[in-house]
Amino acid sequence: MGRESIIRAAREIYDDLDFQRVRDWLSQKPGTKAVGYLPVYAPRELIHACGLLPVGIHGGGDRVEIIKGDAFYQSYICHLPRSVVELGQSGRLDMLSGMLFPSTCDVIRNLSGMWKMLYPDQYVRYIDVPQIATPEIAIPFWEGELRHLLNDLAKLSGHHPSEDELRASLGLYNEVRAALRELYELRRTRPWDVPTEELYLLMRAGESIPPEDFLAMIQSYFRAIDDEPNRPRDNSRVIVVGSFCEQPPLGLIKTIERAGCYVVDDDFLIGNRFLTEDVELSGDPLSCLAESFVRDAVATSVIYEADPHGKRSEIKDKVDAAGADGVIFAAASFCDPALLDRPMLRTGAEAHDIPCIAFKFSENSGQFQQFREQAGTFSDSIKLWGGA
Amino acid sequence: MRCVIGIDLGSTTTKAVILDEDGAIIGRGITNSRSNYELASAVARSEAFADARFRLVAREVRGELDQALLGRLERAFRLEQTLGQLGRLHELIEEEIERRQYGELGPTVREAVGSIVKAIELEERAHFGSENPPLRSSFFRDAVGSAYNRYAEEISDPKGVTFDLLLGLYDKCIIRVENEPMDLGFQELIDNALDRIENPTLMVDAVRAAASTELDEACMVGTGYGRATLPFPKEAIRSEILCHGLGAHAMFPGTRTVLDIGGQDTKAIQVDDSGIVTSFQMNDRCAAGCGRYLGYIADEMNMGLHELGPMAEKSTRCVKINSTCTVFAGAELRERLSLGERREDILAGLHRAIILRAMSLLARSGGIDDEFTFTGGVANNEAAVHALRDLVDENYGQKTLNISPDSIYTGALGGALFAHRLAS
Amino acid sequence: MAETSAAKDRSMILQKQMIANHYRQLENAPETGDPVVYTFVPGNMNELVRSFGALPVLPEINALQSGMRQKSGDYIAEAERAGHSEDVCTYVKCDIGMIKAGNISPTGTRLPKPDLLLLSYTGCYTFMKWFELLREEYDCPTVFFHVPYQGDGTIEAEHRDYMMRQLREEVIPALEKATGRRYDEDRLREYLTLSAQAEDDLVAVLQSAKNRPSPIDAYFGAVYYVGPIFSSFRGTPEGVEYYRALREEVEARVAAGQGPMTPVGQLDDEKYRLVVEGPPNWTSFREFWSMFASEGANVVASTYTKVGGTYDFGFRHDPEDPLGTLADYCGGCYTNINLPGRVDMLVDYIREYEADGFVINSVKSCNSFSAGQLMMLREVEKRAGVPGAFIESDLVDPRYFSAANIKNRLESYLQMIDARRMGASA
């Protein structure tokens, strides 16, 4: 398959807010169910192990008109939950049998309660990830939470996975994360060959199809880019920070790259690569998964930073690892985690003379002129003055 | 006759409605709101009483010819009002010229103003003399303002009496005309109006009968936008939400849901079968999606407010607009235009965006029940109505949508109905 | 009459003295060597902090006091100039601004630096970032205490164990290190015993609003009543004395059939009994209260008065189970309760306190409170059968209080209640 047809397929999935691929999957496998999860982190391994299809719900972007969703939210609350409610209220999520709401922020937390009231027949769980760093306390807590969730999901699906089945799911998601790491590494070394728009569309497709299919999709993409290399451009290299929950519209991602900035790292859909190392497969699966979260979670605003120097070095570490020239802080309007973190991250970056710009977006932002200007100027200044 | 009155002091216009003992409307009046709220209310009231008197006169005259005569009398009355105000404007400008001490230029200024006033007077006489005068704003400021502008431009001299000088005099004095009390009511001006049409006996008798009918105001209720202290006693104030609900119910008794989009705010109201409000929602503190937003758009596009709707209706492909924020309206518009989008398509998108905001308020207040009544200035905009009809159909199914040509009086009517309850 | 007004003064005078005293102790802490622990109102474990001889500082209290004293606007502007977003919580920005302006407390005394930031993560995401930010300012030790949210509507047994384990293995060692003193469980029990006494009296005060007329305003008035127990005085002898005095005064008002004191005088003619959800606005606090009182509207129950602890459903601090009771306390703070639970509580209040309606004051700053309130509005209306009103303001951002807009909504709402009453009787 060629690059274009792979991306076209991914884009179709991304564009389809009726989740036809999920519906097809369900109708092909009578008796199975699908479970949705919101950003940022949910243990999809457990959903998968129970024979359920995990479906990432990341809002309606700029593709859904908000009619009912605004009736649930004041103007000073971010856009994601209102489009999620819109999707729900318009019946577009009626193929889901359950929804998981991770402890990303208070808005998503409260949405879990709203969902309970709106859809009393659905399985709804708030996922309270451990916030403390001490493994001896955090791991047993998280393992308990995972066990609770697993039992619930098993009841929902009618299938309680064996240890081997659980382990197989953990292994499969290890493979998915390894593939994503490879994808990111490729973009880091050859950003012209992996435009961020394409990388992003692939990852979005991965949120609505089975992980096995997603792996195959990425593998075919790897082959395609080797067959059809692009020409490098004289762009600057940036990392994008702050878009881990509400997703920027595709137009914004394109705008950044077209304005002359190669995105060489980002935190879009960070939940799909939240665990930075492979989960150990030799011990008790739940305790291994719990341990992996506590020890190897990515540094992001939704998790408490126990290391006092962590915030100050976080951006420097990311910039160094990505070989980037600068940082774009792109946070959703009214996003508490990203916006409260930003002054600390920015101070840390600037202390290391890392050039930064910052803007706010909304998943349905319709005009990119200001982003284009900012990103273009940023890229030019980096090229002119280097990293200083 | 005992009567009650309701007054609605809005952000752009002030309205009054008078009801008789049976709760039937016997008079309505409207004026532009101004800094002196008390006076705006008094003018609206006086206009409503004049309207009521004319209706009484109309009861006395029946034949077709007499109707034509009555039309002439009304126009003569309006001319009297206009000339009275124009005369006062002239006086004030003369005083102002005196005060400003133009020196040598003084007589020329005086002369210029005199000739403008003369020209306006002729124009007004012609306007009210015509059988079918063309439609225009009924407010003195609007009618005379545009004529003054026109003539001032014509006769101004960049080296002598400039346009800015003439306009400055007008701007200063029109505010005073609007904010000082004048005797422009039925009782004061009707005799002059009769003189103008040469006192036909039938009309004189009908007027005498109407004028001698006692209109005894038993009770008054005021309402209006809450940002300012209303010039009414506290016990006579009802919230505009309640008044709109009750007024809409009176106009369309089947009403269960009311949407009002005014200049400054949007209200979604649910009423029960007797017009009592059961729940309501208002837009949050920014004016996004209100009439004001359309005003900004009109300015940005250099168009008249009334031209927006018709142009949007010509659209063939509605552009999706995501922000109804007044602050970003201009930027988004310019970007769309620079992308080559057609004006009519952008405007169609803007109207839809405004109605989308209203839809969420409606949903917050409890949805849309049959029948659904749309009031406020934006209800006169066909593109907005079109968008509303589409969205209601899509989301709530077929509903009866009521829009009254008199919807501007909804709040005042509701106030009058509250007054009627208090009085009985 | 003279007697009751003198009695009323007593609790007020006591509170004033207690607060002044506390801020003075804080100011002198660098000299006396008293250790200082910063922590948050929801989930504040004052007994534990006090048992180590430490003095607590509650940043939210400083922020709201700055708001009431019209200082918050400048502080917020200061923080925004330093790069904080206009979108986020104004308590945080007010606090950051106050620190940048020299860390002078709202009462004019200097605030000491913390020896420990006790990050009790209870029902508010922003707390996490707030203390990450303060840690940058002070470069001091921070201990994180994770209180699981009541996602399924209860404090689950495993969650309780998790909290107790954190207390034992993280919080207590951190306090020992910061204060240089050993954990003394007997001492903790003494504080907890006093807590329970004050809590009994507080509940009696809050429940006095079931009387007609209610002798208290259970929102605007009650934010003063919960002040001591939500901050530095739960578990202290001063706290016990305050609540005893307050209860006596309130009981005297009930006996005399008196309504509450409000900014527009004593409200004996209670025209509307309301329940309120959400925190108040602090920058225009009296004006806001007056809008209610001048219309004869009195608040008989509120949820905000449960953010620092929910006592009216039976919970009391239990000296027999010192760490377990702290876990239960934290888990039960209002903002840690899920939305269905909050709806239940409001419906319950409306019935128990025979309210005519309820008002939601939705504050821009606080997503923990605000996200979902529009749905709560509809659910409570549906279940309790009374109408609700929705008002928007902010905690301490003076730019976000539109008096005319709020007054308009409130008056419309109260008139709607009138019209419905008349309709019902006709």
Side-chain angles (χ1 to χ4, degrees), chain A residues 17-29:
Chain A
L17 292 175
D18 290 310
F19 296 88
Q20 197 52 49
R21 286 294 291 267
V22 176
R23 292 171 195 274
D24 291 346
W25 187 87
L26 287 168
S27 63
Q28 279 156 20
K29 298 176 186 261

Side-chain angles (χ1 to χ4, degrees), chain A residues 83-361:
Chain A
S83 73
V84 170
V85 168
E86 187 72 36
L87 293 177
Q89 291 283 286
S90 57
R92 290 174 172 107
L93 302 179
D94 60 5
M95 72 295 176
L96 298 176
S97 304
M99 274 282 253
L100 308 184
F101 295 85
S103 54
T104 297
C105 70
D106 293 340
V107 174
I108 290 188
R109 182 196 73 181
N110 287 6
L111 183 55
S112 72
M114 290 167 65
W115 216 263
K116 275 180 193 266
M117 293 191 279
L118 284 168
Y119 306 104
D121 297 332
Q122 252 189 41
Y123 171 67
V124 174
R125 181 148 174 97
Y126 174 67
I127 308 282
D128 212 343
V129 304
Q131 292 289 1
I132 58 163
T134 314
E136 300 76 49
I137 309 175
I139 292 171
F141 163 74
W142 185 226
E143 191 185 327
E145 292 298 291
L146 292 175
R147 200 167 303 282
H148 188 133
L149 178 63
L150 179 68
N151 289 337
D152 288 354
L153 291 172
K155 215 178 288 164
L156 185 69
S157 76
H159 171 71
H160 202 293
S162 66
E163 260 196 30
D164 282 342
E165 283 172 315
L166 270 171
R167 207 165 281 128
S169 293
L170 298 187
L172 179 61
Y173 276 92
N174 275 347
E175 281 182 60
V176 169
R177 280 187 296 269
L180 287 170
R181 279 198 296 273
E182 193 182 338
L183 182 64
Y184 269 69
E185 178 57 28
L186 270 172
R187 184 182 60 169
R188 198 149 36 225
T189 49
R190 290 149 56 195
W192 47 90
D193 275 336
V194 186
T196 298
E197 180 187 7
E198 293 185 4
L199 168 139
Y200 184 77
L201 284 170
L202 284 173
M203 296 206 300
R204 277 304 283 266
E207 296 294 304
S208 326
I209 58 176
E212 298 86 349
D213 298 355
F214 181 44
L215 262 178
M217 191 184 237
I218 301 186
Q219 299 301 348
S220 63
Y221 182 74
F222 288 155
R223 285 189 294 276
I225 57 172
D226 283 339
D227 295 345
E228 310 163 54
N230 289 332
R231 192 193 300 266
R233 286 166 190 269
D234 179 27
N235 281 2
S236 59
R237 297 166 59 91
V238 301
I239 66 171
V240 177
V241 176
S243 311
F244 43 81
C245 181
E246 181 171 326
Q247 295 295 294
L250 204 51
L252 174 54
I253 294 173
K254 280 194 280 192
T255 297
I256 293 173
E257 291 214 319
R258 284 192 191 155
C261 297
Y262 280 134
V263 178
V264 290
D265 195 15
D266 59 62
D267 53 11
F268 307 142
L269 302 168
I270 189 78
N272 69 9
R273 50 199 192 284
F274 209 83
L275 309 179
T276 57
E277 302 284 334
D278 281 351
V279 177
E280 190 63 49
L281 297 178
S282 53
D284 171 75
L286 290 187
S287 114
C288 289
L289 186 58
E291 177 156 355
S292 175
F293 182 94
V294 172
R295 295 195 195 278
D296 304 322
V298 71
T300 173
S301 305
V302 301
I303 303 287
Y304 174 63
E305 174 59 74
D307 174 7
H309 303 291
K311 289 284 165 196
R312 283 169 239 165
S313 59
E314 188 176 321
I315 296 297
K316 165 110 173 84
D317 294 347
K318 285 183 175 167
V319 163
D320 286 351
D325 308 310
V327 185
I328 295 180
F329 290 102
S333 290
F334 301 106
C335 174
D336 278 346
L339 292 171
L340 285 162
D341 239 7
R342 189 152 86 185
M344 287 182 276
L345 295 177
R346 190 167 184 159
T347 305
E350 284 171 349
H352 292 99
D353 295 326
I354 296 168
C356 305
I357 55 167
F359 49 66
K360 288 189 294 187
F361 65 85

Side-chain angles (χ1 to χ4, degrees), chain C residues 50-64:
Chain C
R50 292 277 187 182
S51 76
F52 282 93
L55 297 170
V57 171
L58 289 304
E60 302 113 296
I61 304 279
N62 290 334
L64 76 88

Side-chain angles (χ1 to χ4, degrees), chain B residues 132-203:
Chain B
N132 274 311
L135 278 177
R136 65 172 201 194
S137 166
S138 55
F139 306 145
F140 178 74
R141 163 192 275 271
D142 300 337
V144 168
S146 71
Y148 187 99
N149 244 301
R150 224 171 334 106
Y151 290 119
E153 206 164 354
E154 225 174 273
I155 64 162
S156 64
D157 169 7
K159 294 192 207 79
V161 182
T162 61
F163 176 69
D164 286 349
L165 186 156
L166 288 170
L167 203 65
L169 287 169
Y170 171 81
D171 285 344
K172 169 119 197 195
C173 298
I174 187 71
I175 292 174
R176 288 188 53 196
V177 173
E178 283 193 328
N179 286 293
E180 63 177 35
M182 285 183 74
D183 294 331
L184 298 170
F186 186 86
Q187 313 284 13
E188 291 89 358
L189 298 180
I190 196 65
D191 286 342
N192 292 354
L194 278 170
D195 280 348
R196 277 190 193 279
I197 61 164
E198 290 153 1
N199 296 304
T201 325
L202 173 88
M203 209 42 84

